[in-house]
């Protein structure tokens, strides 16, 4: 489709145009605007370290690994978060629970938070809700290696950010969470 | 003995004026950031002291203790000279500014004029001459840094100074024609007796156009927004002082603010009646307190100067930077004809209606 571009017909400057140019009219309009802001001075600044913003409920901050109410880790080492992450932040080393060959857990779990873009895809991907996003954001460090987090550190973040924990289902092994599938004949997880 | 005493009195006067100017520079650095902030719905500096009022001191200390770097390949001599060349002319101009009424007091058996360091009869020419030397500081600073940004800033400054210094000079001619003197003291005295005698609206030919030309040109001369091409942050990092640090940078910084104060003082003295109140005489004088009338005069002078300084901030908060060709076209094709026409008309008017 061709869009015809027609030149604006050049208008002859009227008398008022001349007057506006001569008296710097446009300039005065701008200066009036700034002066108005000066006179009804309402700063929108938040003095950050002294006063902090109220963060929204769904704020996507620092990532954390979560536990069940009895202290067992939720993560079952399924590697889905690693697959979902677009920035390859996560590395999971999955392992069998000793003595229970059908059940797995994450032997090691690393996050390189220097690369994370806080998209939340890993949280969505996790089948047992083992990952959570906290509302922590003050993670400026002097050494970027301090942002390479291991499992213990991630669990610690989860512990301090999510004091209220999900109840572990009875069918689940004390050490390992099972996939969040519920069966009719087994006790339901209450919301 | 006599000479030594005179020297001491003069030095004391100079020290007092320097002190006031430096204090004003300090206030300005804070006031500019505060006013800009308020105009942009921000707060400005808030951390140092209550409401950030101690910020200038913190800045000064910081600049004082910063490392002084001379970039490799810079011309050391000129690099060192440039900040001094920028600062000294800005400061030296205050020698001829009358801050208060013309009066002489007896001090140790000498006649001392307390409100002007030296009333030389070519005061305004002297200020213009030194203002041009100040531009050398900027140009040399830009050239000697051995950096492309500095060089571009210096070049722009050179071109800008040529086009706008001219307009400042020509805008002033009208006032000189009306007052018949180059001495700032005499020019101010010629405007006594109410605001209708101020040269901006004085008969026979109001200098309102010259005033507008002067204000615009002086903004350009002090490298302030919207004519801040020599230091255009968004294009040239910091322009001519990109490579400067520590006290040398502070020198440029102080020079810029001192220049602002200087052109404001000149504008107040030439067009707005200097220390004259906008009504005949002074209120304190009418009340019979003649000995204290100078306070009122000095306050009026300060008020006028601060009005201009506020105008500088106000323009900065409002206007975007001009493009280079716009700057040149505006200077040569708009301001210069207005200034020249003003001279011709003022001369004719002054010839037929001598004051
Ligand atoms: S939030 Fe996004 S980028 Fe960060 S770890 Fe999860 S999936 Fe990767
Ligand atoms: S997706 Fe969830 S359960 Fe699977 S490895 Fe990642 S955190 Fe563990």
């Amino acid at each position: 489709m061709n869009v015809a571009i027609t030149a604006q017909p050049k208008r002859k400057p009227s008398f008022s145009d001349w007057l506006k140019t001569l008296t710097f009219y446009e300039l005065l309009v701008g200066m009036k605007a700034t002066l108005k802001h000066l006179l009804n001075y309402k700063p929108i600044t938040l003095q950050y370290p002294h006063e902090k913003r109220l963060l929204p409920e769904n704020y996507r901050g620092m990532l954390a690994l979560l536990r069940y109410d009895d202290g067992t880790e939720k993560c079952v080492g399924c590697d889905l978060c690693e697959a979902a992450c677009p920035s390859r932040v996560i590395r999971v080393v999955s392992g069998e629970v000793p003595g229970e060959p059908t059940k797995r857990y994450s032997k090691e779990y690393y996050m390189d938070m220097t690369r994370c873009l806080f998209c939340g895809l890993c949280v969505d991907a996790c089948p047992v809700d083992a990952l959570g996003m906290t509302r922590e954001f003050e993670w400026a460090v002097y050494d970027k290696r301090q942002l390479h987090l291991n499992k213990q550190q991630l669990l610690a973040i989860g512990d301090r950010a999510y004091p209220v924990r999900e109840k572990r289902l009875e069918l689940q092994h004390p050490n390992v969470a099972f996939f969040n599938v519920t069966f009719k004949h087994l006790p339901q997880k209450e919301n | 003995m006599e000479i030594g005493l005179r020297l001491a009195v003069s030095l004391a006067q100079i020290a007092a004026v320097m002190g006031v100017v430096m204090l004003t520079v300090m206030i300005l650095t804070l006031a500019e950031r505060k006013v800009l902030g308020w105009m942009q719905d921000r707060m400005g500096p808030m951390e140092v002291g209550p409401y950030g009022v101690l910020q200038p001191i913190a800045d000064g200390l910081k600049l004082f203790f910063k490392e002084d770097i001379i970039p490799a390949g810079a011309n050391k001599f000129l690099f060192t000279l440039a900040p001094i060349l920028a600062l000294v002319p800005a400061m030296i101009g205050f020698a001829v500014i009358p801050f208060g009424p013309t009066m002489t007091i007896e001090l140790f058996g000498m006649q001392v004029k307390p409100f002007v360091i030296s009333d030389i009869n070519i005061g305004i020419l002297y200020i213009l001459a030194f203002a041009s030397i100040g531009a050398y500081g900027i140009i040399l600073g830009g050239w000697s840094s051995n950096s492309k940004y500095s060089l571009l800033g210096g070049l722009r400054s050179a071109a800008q100074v040529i086009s706008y210094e001219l307009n400042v000079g020509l805008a002033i001619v009208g006032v000189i024609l009306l007052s018949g003197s180059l001495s700032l003291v005499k020019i101010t005295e010629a405007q006594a007796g109410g605001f209708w005698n101020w040269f901006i609206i004085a008969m026979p030919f109001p200098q309102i156009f010259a005033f507008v030309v002067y204000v615009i040109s002086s903004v350009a001369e002090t490298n302030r927004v919207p004519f801040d091409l020599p230091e255009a942050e968004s294009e040239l990092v910091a322009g001519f002082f990109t490579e400067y640090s520590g006290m040398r940078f502070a020198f440029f910084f102080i020079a810029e603010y001192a220049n602002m104060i200087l052109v404001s003082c000149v504008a107040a003295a030439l067009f707005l009646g200097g220390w004259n109140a906008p009504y005949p005489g002074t209120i304190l004088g009418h009340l019979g307190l003649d000995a204290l009338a100078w306070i009122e005069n000095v306050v009026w002078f300060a008020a006028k100067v601060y009005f201009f300084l506020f105008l500088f901030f106000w323009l900065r908060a409002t206007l975007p930077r001009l493009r280079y060709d716009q700057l040149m076209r505006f200077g040569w094709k708009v301001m210069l004809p207005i200034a020249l026409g003003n001279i011709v008309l003022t001369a004719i008017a002054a010839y037929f209606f001598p004051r």
Side-chain angles (χ1 to χ4, degrees):
Chain A
M1 198 181 80
N2 276 330
V3 181
I5 300 165
T6 50
Q8 288 271 317
K10 217 176 185 158
R11 197 161 56 90
K12 225 174 131 242
S14 68
F15 178 67
S16 72
D17 288 344
W18 276 104
L19 214 60
K20 279 182 180 176
T21 315
L22 273 183
T23 51
F24 296 107
Y25 176 75
E26 266 83 17
L27 220 149
L28 292 179
V29 169
M31 291 182 64
K32 190 180 139 216
T34 39
L35 191 67
K36 222 160 64 192
H37 278 263
L38 177 73
L39 293 182
N40 13 348
Y41 162 61
K42 275 190 211 72
I44 54 168
T45 312
L46 260 152
Q47 295 288 311
Y48 160 62
H50 309 304
E51 35 180 341
K52 287 181 183 161
R53 253 193 81 172
L54 213 63
L55 294 173
E57 266 313 303
N58 55 357
Y59 186 80
R60 299 209 297 254
M62 193 63 189
L63 286 160
L65 279 175
L66 308 183
R67 297 181 202 263
Y68 284 116
D69 58 348
D70 58 356
T72 50
E73 297 151 19
K74 279 182 168 182
C75 179
V76 294
C78 67
D79 248 4
L80 286 179
C81 51
E82 186 174 336
C85 178
S87 316
R88 302 216 247 143
V89 172
I90 304 171
R91 195 162 66 84
V92 186
V93 178
S94 180
E96 269 175 28
V97 176
E100 288 196 57
T102 55
K103 302 205 169 151
R104 300 182 74 79
Y105 76 116
S106 59
K107 242 194 285 186
E108 288 162 48
Y109 194 104
Y110 296 104
M111 276 196 178
D112 175 3
M113 293 309 290
T114 59
R115 292 206 297 247
C116 178
L117 49 95
F118 302 99
C119 59
L121 289 181
C122 51
V123 179
D124 281 350
C126 182
V128 292
D129 289 345
L131 276 170
M133 291 191 117
T134 67
R135 284 198 266 170
E136 282 178 28
F137 60 92
E138 285 163 323
W139 265 85
V141 290
Y142 282 102
D143 185 348
K144 73 172 181 182
R145 274 165 292 194
Q146 283 173 281
L147 288 172
H148 293 192
L149 303 179
N150 62 21
K151 189 171 163 188
Q152 262 56 50
Q153 288 165 306
L154 286 163
L155 281 168
I157 298 168
D159 288 346
R160 66 168 178 257
Y162 288 93
V164 183
R165 294 192 189 138
E166 200 178 352
K167 210 168 150 52
R168 191 168 64 83
L169 292 182
E170 251 149 59
L171 94 164
Q172 285 162 341
H173 189 273
N175 278 333
V176 179
F178 199 60
F179 277 60
N180 241 354
V181 191
T182 48
F183 300 96
K184 285 270 159 50
H185 61 281
L186 286 170
Q188 297 284 310
K189 182 168 77 171
E190 76 240 26
N191 223 3
Chain B
M1 184 60 211
E2 168 74 27
I3 288 238
L5 213 55
R6 186 144 277 288
L7 206 63
V9 170
S10 285
L11 281 179
Q13 260 185 320
I14 291 169
V17 171
M18 285 290 119
V20 171
V21 170
M22 280 309 200
L23 193 70
T24 317
V25 168
M26 268 174 65
I27 295 172
L28 283 188
T29 55
L30 178 70
E32 166 150 46
R33 293 156 77 179
K34 279 287 183 191
V35 170
L36 274 185
W38 292 338
M39 285 185 169
Q40 295 162 358
D41 291 341
R42 295 184 286 112
M43 286 175 169
M46 289 291 282
E47 282 301 305
V48 194
Y51 292 93
V53 289
L54 298 180
Q55 187 68 37
I57 297 170
D59 286 346
L61 282 178
K62 187 195 82 175
L63 283 175
F64 194 76
F65 289 114
K66 282 260 160 151
E67 187 185 356
D68 182 18
I69 301 164
I70 297 182
N75 184 326
K76 275 212 183 66
F77 175 66
L78 289 179
F79 192 79
T80 316
L81 185 67
I84 301 169
L85 218 48
L87 181 62
V88 170
M91 290 301 208
I92 228 168
F94 289 99
V96 295
I97 303 279
F99 299 98
T102 324
M103 57 188 209
T104 46
I105 51 170
E106 285 273 324
L107 208 66
F108 311 122
M110 285 182 314
Q111 303 287 318
V112 177
K113 290 181 176 166
F115 294 116
V116 52
I117 294 178
S118 130
D119 172 19
I120 58 179
N121 55 5
I122 49 158
I124 188 68
L125 273 187
Y126 165 87
I127 287 181
L128 287 183
F130 274 105
S132 328
I133 292 183
Y136 277 100
I138 294 177
I139 296 164
L140 286 181
W143 179 79
S144 63
S145 311
N146 190 29
S147 142
K148 56 189 172 224
Y149 298 118
S150 304
L151 183 61
L152 275 174
L155 284 178
R156 285 178 176 194
S157 171
Q160 190 169 320
V161 163
I162 290 172
S163 3
Y164 281 84
E165 195 95 355
L166 193 65
N167 296 332
V168 170
L170 290 175
I172 286 170
V173 172
V175 172
I176 296 168
L177 278 172
L178 288 180
S179 67
S181 171
L182 285 168
S183 153
L184 278 168
V185 175
K186 294 237 170 56
I187 291 175
T188 313
E189 276 171 354
Q191 304 175 65
F195 68 89
W196 52 89
N197 279 340
W198 294 356
F199 280 135
I200 183 172
I201 49 171
M203 285 293 122
F205 191 75
Q207 296 295 313
I208 177 84
F209 290 112
F211 175 70
V212 172
V213 169
Y214 178 82
V215 170
I216 294 175
S217 303
S218 58
V219 173
E221 223 197 308
T222 46
N223 302 327
R224 302 281 306 175
V225 178
F227 302 102
D228 63 337
L229 289 133
E231 44 179 286
E233 291 99 359
S234 39
E235 306 161 30
L236 299 181
V237 189
F240 58 90
F241 53 63
T242 306
E243 304 294 339
Y244 281 90
S245 59
M247 269 327 260
R248 287 183 224 266
F249 169 78
F251 268 35
F252 274 124
F253 202 69
I254 296 170
E256 181 179 329
Y257 282 87
N259 263 324
M260 271 166 68
I261 304 171
L262 186 62
V263 295
S264 303
C265 285
V266 174
L270 289 182
F271 295 99
L272 294 186
W275 41 263
N276 289 303
Y279 37 82
T282 54
I283 290 177
L284 285 171
H286 294 319
L287 290 176
L289 297 165
D290 271 320
L292 294 178
W294 61 271
I295 296 177
E296 199 173 327
N297 291 129
V298 172
V299 168
W300 273 111
F301 186 77
K304 286 164 190 174
V305 171
Y306 270 90
F307 165 74
F308 278 108
L309 293 173
F310 176 72
L311 189 71
F312 277 106
F313 302 156
W314 194 3
L315 285 171
R316 174 159 180 198
T318 309
L319 298 179
R321 185 180 310 123
L322 258 69
R323 216 172 52 216
Y324 196 66
D325 58 325
Q326 291 171 332
L327 175 96
M328 282 304 179
R329 197 173 57 224
F330 191 62
W332 290 100
K333 290 193 175 170
V334 181
M335 308 272 275
L336 189 65
I338 293 177
L340 283 174
N342 177 65
I343 292 176
V344 173
L345 293 179
T346 311
I348 293 171
Y351 180 75
F352 285 111
F353 307 98
R355 284 160 63 86

